[in-house]
């Protein structure tokens, strides 16, 4: 799924902003203004983490050009800030304070003002403040605007009371949605689009004195107070001030229960009214309680709300009216003794069309216009896109955030809990400090289904401990072209290997019948992306500059069944709870339809997945994917729902989707039975997850997030994923007494070795989360190590060099070859390899999401390791380098000689790779002896074991045969060797052990 920050166009932004352009009005008692920016050169042009002015924009042409210009007419000092711009998308500039310095306190002032030289363009210009958060790029955004409808210099004042919270875009999704002013990180201006112009501004400063109503606020402990019928709700009312100062003046809060909710006064509750007074001198944080008693009437009822109206004098009132909610009770769907199907049927029968449509709607948590929208639109689900995290990004903050969302759902009639989803594709990868597993490509290299299941179990435990019950994983794509930016999300190029690794589904969910889903260490899994996303042709992408991702998969019916559909059939048998269709299009040869987006293919979603395979879970769309369907929005909605989608991921358009779906049903273009089926599927999983009984986070397992036990599983997986491609002279394993020279871009970079989908959608280089780099792990293994990233340190006197090279992080189509990426090592990595391998015996580790082209350097490399993306546990890599564990990994994809060979896969008629699918040397034991006669005997024995069902023993014989062949073919692989060798591994995975040894015998003879 595409998981970006919530970018929005400047055009949308300015339509949301109020106009403020007031003349200066300094009262006699006002203090002197406090400069923010004088533009005399005291603030440099720089960016995070340093303090400075920097520009930004939607593309390379959009950022404005800034300079400090000496002007005789400067309103203050001798210089002003000037700039030119010609913006097509969005663009502007920012003054951020230094991230490594303290935030600034603006709470004592009335507002901020600046001088602007008007051009009389009539255009709106957005002015934005950065409040709270870790630094300027992780802060809340509050905005206002002014209109350039004057000429010459004019001082513009912006009272803090005029700023509104940005609902269209927040870089971290919001912090507390309160303009506190005590932790300010700077300001920004968004310039007009579609206009080639220039500007000048000067003297940004704070002015005036804040009144108490600006500095004091009244809050309630929550916006929603659920209470059992007959119980008493305790509504906490707290007064607080910026800077935690005592009140200067008294604050009064008059309260009364309003009869505008669903509850009836005198029948469902006892009305209350009164006034609370917080005298001058009251300490900040003082709380009082208002009690709202409810009454029992002994009848079964849906939930009923009691608004508590608050009138505040002397401080800001709460942003929302708190609601007491009398819990639903006595209805069959709440009876845990009933079977799930009966509970579902009862609840569906009670829901209105609008409530059903809400259950089919999923929004991004950071895109909620207001938290109250959860109840207002009866939302069924929220998600965190990649990098959409609470602040701070801790397990405790995740649980608190999700509990807050679940609390909002209690204000709906039937109190249906949300189902919250995340992309935990290699561990709980959005959470700093979580255990990050190898990406799927590395898990496929382990050839260890049991270990794959354990990695899924660790992921599930860490995800559920933060309150998240749903994981958008695993990807069951069969990657057929390594130019695809999602290659590392696949277990491999062979559907048989993908099926073997689907034990991760049981690791995530538990038993196939769903009995374990309500456990505190299990989550609902998602098989994605149905179907054929790994088969899209190079150059067929329909999205932006992507070349492969979201393209067209053109296949025969036979190839579709054998390659792309097979893993989903297995996942359905394993009881996978949800399925996500692909962005890509399917062009099924012979059906006469041409390319059709998977989100519109009813024949695949309804016909194959639900009817033929018997899938009983629900289908969730990909991120904004229905927007890619042809036609208007109403057409997108009805086409996707009628095609079999049950829940639609509409990160920003949740209100429009719900309204449109209701309209389409009322118009008869979407059937009510289709809606009831979708809602029944969704509710079934919510009941199985135990969310009706326990909607809130069970954090009892939170102390195991990133624990030694969990990291031990990741370390084992990292070690098992390492594939030894070449080992001339038995250079590996290394010895502890060797003097080692380490170089390369990926030796000491936790971000690079974790890859994309780590903390943020695209991931990034650097120290982004706790873990152990390869270099750090090697230091623990050898006392004599020299580290030089660029291999510039002296080379003499070393026994062996280890050069760790490869890719930097990317995700999805951003990583497509031809979209700013290729399969070549960087120039710096090539230089490091050449330098070190030219001076000593060397080991090259390739840390990447897909094969990299080694080319003519292979002859100069003594040992070559495909390290894939091992995650946070570099110790696992060091374990095999130093022989604590043997190399056992095998190639999950074919390693090509050149990009011209792509796509290249096991089973191809023409097959002449650098290393074949299934290749992997070992250091764990001596190579078995024997020749053709030995292989013939192994084939006979493997065939006999196959017939008796002794699969483990048969696999061991195939492995013995493979090692014999590798020993003979190592160093002189040819097409005649590679083709049967790769095909043997496919036969092994499909349980044809005798035939596998037969193919290996063919490879042996060719070698």
């Amino acid at each position: 799924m595409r998981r970006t920050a919530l970018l929005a166009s400047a055009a949308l932004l300015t339509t949301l902003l109020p106009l403020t352009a007031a003349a200066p009005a300094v009262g006699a008692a006002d203090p002197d203004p406090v400069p923010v920016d004088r533009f005399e050169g005291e603030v440099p042009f720089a960016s995070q983490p340093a303090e400075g002015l920097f520009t930004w924009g939607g593309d390379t042409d959009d950022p404005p050009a800034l300079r400090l210009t000496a002007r005789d007419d400067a309103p203050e000092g001798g210089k002003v800030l000037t700039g030119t711009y010609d913006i097509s998308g969005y663009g502007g500039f920012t003054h951020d304070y230094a991230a490594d310095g303290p935030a600034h306190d603006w709470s004592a002032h009335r507002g901020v003002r600046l001088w602007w030289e008007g051009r009389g363009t009539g255009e709106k210009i957005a002015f934005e403040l950065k409040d709270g958060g870790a630094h300027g790029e992780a802060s809340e955004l509050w905005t206002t605007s002014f209109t350039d409808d004057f000429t010459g210099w004019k001082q513009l004042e912006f009272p803090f009371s005029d700023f509104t919270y940005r609902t269209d875009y927040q870089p971290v999704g919001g912090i507390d949605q309160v303009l506190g002013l005590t932790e300010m990180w700077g300001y920004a201006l968004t310039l007009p689009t579609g206009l080639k112009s220039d500007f000048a501004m000067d003297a940004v400063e704070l002015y005036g004195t804040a009144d108490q109503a600006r500095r004091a606020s009244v809050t309630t402990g929550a916006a929603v107070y659920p209470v059992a019928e007959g119980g008493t709700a305790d509504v906490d009312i707290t007064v607080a001030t910026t800077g935690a100062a005592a009140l200067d003046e008294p604050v009064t809060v008059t309260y009364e229960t309003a009869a505008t909710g669903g509850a009836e006064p005198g029948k469902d509750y006892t009305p209350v009214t009164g006034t609370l007074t917080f005298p001058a001198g009251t300490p900040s944080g003082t709380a009082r309680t208002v009690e709202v008693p409810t009454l029992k009437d002994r009848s079964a009822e849906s939930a009923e709300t009691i608004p508590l109206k608050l009138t505040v004098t002397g401080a800001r009132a709460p942003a929302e009216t708190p609601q007491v909610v009398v819990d639903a009770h006595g209805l069959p769907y709440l009876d845990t003794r009933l079977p799930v199907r009966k509970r579902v049927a009862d609840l569906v029968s009670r829901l209105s069309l609008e409530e059903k449509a809400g259950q089919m709607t999923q929004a991004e948590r950071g895109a909620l216009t207001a938290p109250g929208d959860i109840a207002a639109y009866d939302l069924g689900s929220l998600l965190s896109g990649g990098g959409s995290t609470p602040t701070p990004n801790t397990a405790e903050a995740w649980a608190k955030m999700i509990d807050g969302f679940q609390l909002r759902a209690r204000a709906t009639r039937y109190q249906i809990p949300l189902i919250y989803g995340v992309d935990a594709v290699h561990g709980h990868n959005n959470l700093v400090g979580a255990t990050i597993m190898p990406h799927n490509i590395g898990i496929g290299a382990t050839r260890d289904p049991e270990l794959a299941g354990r990695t899924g179990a660790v992921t599930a435990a860490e995800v559920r401990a933060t309150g998240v019950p749903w994981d958008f994983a695993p990807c069951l794509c069969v990657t057929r072209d390594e130019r695809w930016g999602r290659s590392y999300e696949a277990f491999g190029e062979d559907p048989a290997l993908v099926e073997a690794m689907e034990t991760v589904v049981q690791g995530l969910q538990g038993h196939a019948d769903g009995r374990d889903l309500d456990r505190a260490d299990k989550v609902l899994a998602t098989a994605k992306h149905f179907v054929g996303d790994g088969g899209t042709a190079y150059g067929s992408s329909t999205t932006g500059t992507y070349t492969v991702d979201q393209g067209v998969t053109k296949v025969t019916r036979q190839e579709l069944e054998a390659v792309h559909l097979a893993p989903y059939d297995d996942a359905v048998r394993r009881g996978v709870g949800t399925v996500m269709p692909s962005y890509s299009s399917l062009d099924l040869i012979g059906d006469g339809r041409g390319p059709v987006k998977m989100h519109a293919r009813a024949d695949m979603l309804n016909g194959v997945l639900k009817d033929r395979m018997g899938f009983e879970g629900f289908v969730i769309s990909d991120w904004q994917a229905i927007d890619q369907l042809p036609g208007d929005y109403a057409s997108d909605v009805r086409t996707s729902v009628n095609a079999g989608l049950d829940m639609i991921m509409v990160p920003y358009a949740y209100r429009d989707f719900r309204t449109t779906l209701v309209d389409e049903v009322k118009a008869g273009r979407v059937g009510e039975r289709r809606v009831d089926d979708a809602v029944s599927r969704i509710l079934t999983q919510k009941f199985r997850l135990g969310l009706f009984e326990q909607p809130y986070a069970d954090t009892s397992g939170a102390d195991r997030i990133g624990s030694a036990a969990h990291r031990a599983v990741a370390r084992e997986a990292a070690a098992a994923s390492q594939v030894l491609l070449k080992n001339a002279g038995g250079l590996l394993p290394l010895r502890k007494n060797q003097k080692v020279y380490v170089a390369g871009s990926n030796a000491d970079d936790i971000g690079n070795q974790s890859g994309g989908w780590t903390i943020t959608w695209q991931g990034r280089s650097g120290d982004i989360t706790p873990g152990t780099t390869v270099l750090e792990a090697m230091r623990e293994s050898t006392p004599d190590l020299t580290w030089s990233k660029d291999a510039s340190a002296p080379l003499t006197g070393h026994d062996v060099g280890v050069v760790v090279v490869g890719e930097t992080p990317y995700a999805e189509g951003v990583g497509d070859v031809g979209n700013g990426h290729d399969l070549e090592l960087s120039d710096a990595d090539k230089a490091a390899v050449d330098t070190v391998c030219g001076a000593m015996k060397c080991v090259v580790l390739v840390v990447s999401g897909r094969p990299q082209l080694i080319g003519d350097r292979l002859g100069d490399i003594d040992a070559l390791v495909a390290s894939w993306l091992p995650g946070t546990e570099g110790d696992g890599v060091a374990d095999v380098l130093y022989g604590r564990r043997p190399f056992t990994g095998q190639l999950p994809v074919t390693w090509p000689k050149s990009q011209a060979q792509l796509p290249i896969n096991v089973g191809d008629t023409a097959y002449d790779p650098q290393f074949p699918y299934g290749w992997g040397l070992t250091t764990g034991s001596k190579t078995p002896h024997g020749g053709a006669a030995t292989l013939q005997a192994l084939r006979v024995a493997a065939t006999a074991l196959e017939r008796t069902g002794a699969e483990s023993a048969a696999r061991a014989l195939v492995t013995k045969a493979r090692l014999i062949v590798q020993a003979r073919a190592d160093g002189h692989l040819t097409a005649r060797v590679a083709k049967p060798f790769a095909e043997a591994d496919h036969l092994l995975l499909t349980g044809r052990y005798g035939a596998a040894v037969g193919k290996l015998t063919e490879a042996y003879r060719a070698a």
Side-chain angles (χ1 to χ4, degrees):
M1 284 182 288
R2 183 184 299 111
R3 301 289 181 259
T4 70
L6 310 181
L7 294 176
S9 69
L12 171 62
L13 170 65
T14 53
T15 63
L16 298 174
L17 304 180
L19 172 62
T20 303
V26 180
D30 281 344
D32 292 336
V34 175
V36 175
D37 233 341
R38 298 177 63 245
F39 302 116
E40 299 299 307
E42 74 280 8
V43 178
F45 292 103
S47 60
Q48 288 291 332
E51 178 174 0
L53 293 160
F54 70 96
T55 61
W56 39 265
D59 56 42
T60 56
D61 298 328
D62 283 348
L66 302 182
R67 58 192 174 277
L68 298 178
T69 304
R71 290 269 295 263
D72 292 338
D73 63 344
E76 192 276 337
K79 296 178 182 178
V80 300
L81 179 69
T82 62
T84 57
Y85 60 93
D86 184 5
I87 303 168
S88 58
Y90 64 91
F93 62 93
T94 290
H95 174 187
D96 273 357
Y97 293 138
D100 56 1
H104 292 219
D105 187 347
W106 293 4
S107 62
H109 303 277
R110 183 183 307 146
V112 61
R113 64 190 180 194
L114 57 87
W115 286 91
W116 185 266
E117 187 177 31
R119 299 290 188 266
T121 63
E123 296 286 341
K124 283 186 178 180
I125 297 168
F127 184 66
E128 191 166 83
L129 301 182
K130 300 189 168 192
D131 173 42
H135 54 74
E137 298 308 288
S139 53
E140 273 187 347
L141 304 182
W142 292 76
T143 191
T144 186
S145 68
F146 64 92
T147 301
D148 188 350
D149 57 0
F150 56 92
T151 57
W153 288 108
K154 183 176 183 180
Q155 192 175 39
L156 307 176
E157 290 189 351
F158 306 97
F160 292 134
S161 58
D162 286 354
F163 284 85
T164 59
Y165 181 78
R166 275 192 65 172
T167 57
D168 61 316
Y169 168 74
Q170 288 288 347
V172 294
I175 297 164
D176 59 9
Q177 299 187 15
V178 175
L179 182 56
L181 299 173
T182 57
E183 291 185 310
M184 301 302 295
W185 289 102
Y187 65 88
L189 275 82
T190 301
L191 297 167
T193 59
L195 174 70
K196 188 174 183 179
S197 187
D198 59 13
F199 71 89
M201 65 180 286
D202 198 14
V204 181
E205 61 186 21
L206 306 174
Y207 74 93
T209 301
D211 58 23
Q212 178 171 281
R214 178 69 247 172
R215 291 184 292 109
S217 60
V218 168
T219 60
T220 56
V224 178
Y225 287 84
V227 60
E229 185 188 42
T232 297
D234 294 330
V235 180
D236 299 321
I237 297 177
T238 303
V239 64
T241 63
T242 54
L247 292 178
D248 294 333
E249 302 170 15
V251 171
T252 60
V253 181
T254 300
Y255 59 88
E256 62 176 323
T257 47
T260 54
E264 185 177 337
K267 176 185 176 185
D268 298 312
Y269 68 97
T270 301
V272 297
T273 185
T275 299
L276 301 175
T277 300
F278 298 88
T282 299
S284 178
T286 299
R288 307 281 177 80
T289 300
V290 173
E291 295 183 347
V292 180
T294 67
L295 304 173
K296 267 196 172 182
D297 59 13
R298 299 186 179 276
S299 60
E301 293 175 303
S302 60
E304 298 165 321
T305 58
I306 309 165
L308 184 64
K309 182 181 176 183
L310 303 178
T311 303
V312 178
T313 303
R316 282 172 294 161
E320 297 179 74
T321 298
Q323 296 182 81
V324 173
V325 179
V326 183
D327 288 336
H329 52 277
L331 300 173
Y333 79 90
L334 295 171
D335 188 349
T336 58
R337 297 168 297 179
L338 293 178
V340 167
R341 60 180 177 80
K342 288 191 175 182
R343 298 178 72 183
V344 169
D346 176 70
L347 182 51
V348 171
S349 71
R350 298 176 185 279
L351 298 177
S352 68
L353 175 58
E354 289 74 14
E355 288 167 325
K356 293 174 183 176
Q359 285 301 301
M360 296 172 66
T361 306
Q362 183 183 65
E364 153 66 40
R365 42 77 74 184
L368 287 175
T369 302
D373 281 359
I374 292 170
Y377 295 95
D378 301 289
L379 296 181
S381 179
L382 293 179
L383 82 150
S384 277
S388 177
T389 64
T391 301
N393 188 356
T394 63
E396 182 181 12
W398 274 89
K400 181 179 179 181
M401 173 185 73
I402 293 167
D403 282 355
F405 292 142
Q406 292 288 17
L407 183 63
R408 296 287 184 160
R410 306 295 291 173
T412 59
R413 276 205 307 165
Y414 296 105
Q415 299 181 306
I416 303 174
L418 295 164
I419 179 170
Y420 199 99
V422 298
D423 286 276
V425 299
H426 63 140
H428 196 355
N429 44 254
N430 279 305
L431 172 64
V432 171
T435 306
I436 304 300
M437 300 290 172
H439 268 293
N440 282 356
I441 195 74
I443 299 298
T446 71
R447 294 297 200 281
D448 189 337
E450 188 273 337
L451 179 57
R454 283 193 282 132
T455 66
V458 169
T459 298
E462 296 199 0
V463 169
R464 194 69 182 256
T466 60
V468 178
W470 184 14
D471 185 3
F472 303 129
C475 185
L476 302 185
C477 44
V478 182
T479 178
R480 306 293 284 178
D481 190 334
E482 276 59 65
R483 292 171 291 189
W484 187 33
R486 303 190 83 136
S487 291
Y488 64 75
E489 293 188 48
F491 292 114
E493 69 185 35
D494 183 353
L497 176 57
V498 175
E499 289 182 59
M501 296 298 109
E502 288 185 41
T503 49
V504 72
V505 172
Q506 260 61 68
L508 292 168
Q509 289 195 171
H511 282 86
D513 60 8
R515 76 180 82 160
D516 299 325
L517 283 173
D518 62 352
R519 283 172 38 179
D521 62 348
K522 293 299 174 188
V523 294
L524 198 67
T526 306
K528 65 182 186 183
H529 304 89
F530 188 86
V531 61
D533 55 336
T536 50
Y538 186 84
S540 70
S541 180
T542 58
T543 300
T545 57
Y546 294 4
T547 58
V548 184
D549 193 33
Q550 303 184 24
V552 178
T553 298
K554 188 172 185 178
V555 289
T556 63
R557 171 73 66 174
Q558 182 181 13
E559 185 180 357
L560 177 70
E561 295 282 349
V563 176
H564 299 292
L565 274 172
Y568 291 94
D569 211 358
D570 187 66
V572 170
R573 287 195 297 272
R574 291 179 178 275
V576 72
T578 62
V579 169
M580 180 183 292
S582 174
Y583 279 117
S584 59
S585 300
L586 177 62
D587 186 354
L588 199 55
I589 296 170
D591 74 352
R593 299 177 66 184
V596 179
K597 284 283 187 182
M598 276 306 307
H599 281 71
R601 291 213 68 134
D603 59 329
M604 290 290 124
L605 296 171
N606 285 327
V608 173
L609 178 64
K610 292 183 175 179
D611 294 342
R612 194 186 84 189
M613 293 184 181
F615 174 61
E616 295 181 348
F618 69 88
V619 179
I620 170 70
S621 88
D622 211 329
W623 179 277
Q624 288 186 305
I626 68 168
D627 294 348
Q628 295 188 8
L629 301 181
D632 59 18
Y633 194 66
S635 173
D636 295 346
V637 171
R638 66 174 172 268
T639 297
S640 58
V641 173
N642 286 333
L645 269 76
D646 302 307
M647 182 182 286
I648 314 296
M649 190 184 295
V650 278
Y652 318 115
Y654 58 93
R655 290 169 294 181
D656 291 341
F657 170 77
R658 179 178 179 269
T659 299
T660 303
L661 177 56
V662 168
D663 290 344
E664 290 299 295
V665 175
K666 289 180 177 178
R669 292 184 287 266
V670 173
E672 290 189 43
R673 288 183 62 187
R674 170 77 272 270
V675 169
D676 285 353
D677 172 61
V679 176
S680 296
R681 289 170 176 268
I682 294 164
L683 293 177
T684 296
Q685 300 303 337
K686 290 186 177 184
F687 277 115
R688 285 180 169 177
L689 285 162
L691 295 176
F692 280 84
E693 289 70 52
Q694 172 61 325
Y696 303 115
D698 181 343
T699 60
S700 58
D703 60 345
R704 294 193 292 275
I705 295 174
S707 66
H710 285 184
R711 290 184 183 274
V713 174
R715 178 175 181 168
E716 182 182 349
S721 72
Q722 303 298 293
V723 180
L724 183 57
L725 300 174
K726 179 182 179 181
N727 193 25
L731 182 58
L732 290 174
L734 302 175
R735 299 186 304 277
K736 288 187 176 182
N737 62 356
Q738 288 176 304
K739 187 172 183 180
V740 182
Y741 188 102
V742 182
S745 61
N746 284 352
D748 194 31
D749 196 306
I750 203 78
N752 287 0
Q753 74 183 46
S754 297
W757 288 109
T758 308
I759 310 306
T760 58
W761 175 43
Q762 290 294 314
R764 64 177 175 85
S765 302
D767 190 16
I768 61 174
T769 192
T772 305
T773 67
V774 173
L775 175 67
E776 290 168 341
M778 290 184 68
R779 286 191 193 278
E780 293 296 315
S781 301
T782 182
D784 202 347
L785 183 148
T786 299
W787 159 238
S788 178
K789 182 175 181 178
D790 61 358
S792 61
L795 297 159
T796 56
H798 295 88
D799 298 310
V800 62
V802 177
V803 190
V804 189
V805 298
E807 297 184 301
T808 53
Y810 55 79
E812 302 191 32
V814 175
D816 283 353
V817 167
N819 189 27
H821 294 265
D822 57 39
L823 301 183
E824 298 280 351
L825 298 179
S826 69
D827 289 342
D829 278 348
K830 289 177 182 177
V833 171
D834 292 344
T835 299
V836 176
C837 294
M840 65 192 80
K841 290 183 180 297
C842 73
V843 181
V844 173
L845 276 66
V846 182
V847 174
S848 64
R850 54 196 168 189
Q852 303 292 282
L853 302 175
I854 302 302
D856 55 10
R857 284 180 171 78
L858 183 59
D860 298 324
I861 296 170
D862 298 287
L864 179 64
V865 178
S867 280
W868 308 114
L869 298 169
T872 53
E873 306 314 298
D875 285 313
V877 180
D879 285 342
V880 291
L881 287 179
Y882 283 90
R884 289 187 290 272
R885 293 178 184 268
F887 277 95
T888 56
Q890 294 176 249
L891 282 180
V893 293
T894 301
W895 197 285
K897 290 179 178 177
S898 70
Q899 196 162 294
Q901 289 185 315
L902 298 174
I904 182 171
N905 295 286
V906 56
D908 287 354
T909 303
Y911 190 76
D912 186 21
Q914 191 96 66
F915 298 100
Y917 168 77
W919 185 266
L921 305 176
T922 186
T923 55
S925 59
K926 291 183 179 180
T927 301
H929 293 293
T934 302
L935 291 171
Q936 175 62 17
L938 290 172
R939 185 186 66 79
V940 172
T943 301
L945 290 169
E946 179 183 333
R947 287 172 182 160
T948 61
E951 294 193 0
S952 179
R955 283 195 296 269
L957 295 182
V958 179
T959 298
K960 184 175 181 180
R962 179 174 64 84
L963 295 176
I964 292 173
V965 175
Q966 284 186 157
R968 181 179 177 91
D970 190 16
H972 48 276
L973 276 165
T974 65
R976 292 179 60 221
V977 175
K979 182 174 171 59
F981 183 94
E983 290 170 356
D985 202 60
H986 171 73
L987 291 168
L988 167 66
L989 287 163
T990 54
R992 290 172 285 178
Y993 306 113
V997 179
K999 281 291 182 180
L1000 287 169
T1001 304
E1002 182 183 335
Y1004 181 88
R1005 288 173 175 153

